[in-house]
Amino acid sequence: MRIVRRIKEMRSFSNAMHRKGKTIGFVPTMGALHQGHLSLIRRARQDNDKVVVSIFVNPIQFGPREDFRKYPRDLKRDTGMCRQEGVDIIFYPETKQMYSQDYKTYVFVDGQDELLCAKFRPGHFKGVATVVTKLLNIVSPDIAYFGQKDAQQAIIIKKLVCDLNIPVKIKVMPTIRENYGLALSSRNVYLNEDERKDACVLYQALNLAKGLIKKSNRNPSDIILKMRQLINKKKTAKIQYISIVDLKSLKSADKIRDEVLIALAVWFGKTRLIDNIIAKAQKNS
Ligand code: AMP
């Protein structure tokens, strides 16, 4: 396994592999790897001849009051995990390689501003879309892997790949959770014991909603109210939003038809967690 810091070196690896007819699977990450990341890496390993994992804490996707500086970083541990999973290359670019002093170009997927997390994290998805576009251009993978945990991110990436004609297949993999339901996230290390216990309520609330939909409740406001009541029982929880939206457009559903995404963001102390689940309404109810 090689750690590549320079864009030029990353490109020449990819070019050489493509010339030999080898496929490249790519997993973009911000490091502080956990089993969620590893599930993407394992899938990439299964599907491709070569696997590239990028580790880059992308400054432009963090808001001024967000956790860019304290975001967990542990290259040594990440390197060990990647080696064990048979990763071929860790692409670990310097910030100044990715964003020169006179950097001016951004990728922005229109129509997202008011939807789900975008409403509360202005500029975040522009930062994500920009860095993912750059990484796809640098690594030129055949398949890139993303997690359903960041559902809105996955939708935005699929859209930009389609709209900008980037020749890559996007695979979205299921959310990996702790046994007690908490979705794995690099930010979970911020939680203290009480917050971690309380945070289990997120998956319970999502399952409560899924169960209500299964029992023919088609009223999003009613379901959201019941989720709120459950989450608000936890002392450290402060809800930012809970939404039930159309799976493709991410627009709020007035009545639940077919498949919906139930998504939420909740603060536990100073840590903001997101989670989501897909629920399907039975046709005949
Ligand atoms: P991050 O390092 O947080 O930017 O995440 C890198 C990739 O891992 C993204 O595609 C995430 O959606 C994915 N990911 C993060 N957490 C999980 C999880 N619990 N299960 C599955 N994928 C995840």
Side-chain angles (χ1 to χ4, degrees), residues 6 44 58 75 90 98 142 148 215 251-252 260 265 276:
R6 302 190 68 79
N58 176 35
L75 183 66
I90 295 180
M98 293 294 278
D142 297 272
Q148 175 63 23
K215 284 189 202 140
K251 300 232 162 87
S252 284
V260 286
N276 68 80

Side-chain angles (χ1 to χ4, degrees), residues 9 61 126 141 147 155 158 171 183 190 204 213 219 230 232 251 283:
E9 194 186 335
Q61 72 185 65
K126 179 173 144 192
I155 287 172
K158 278 186 175 170
K171 275 197 186 172
Y190 300 153
Q204 290 162 11
I213 293 172
N219 182 343
L230 181 66
N232 283 334
K251 300 232 162 87
K283 281 255 156 50

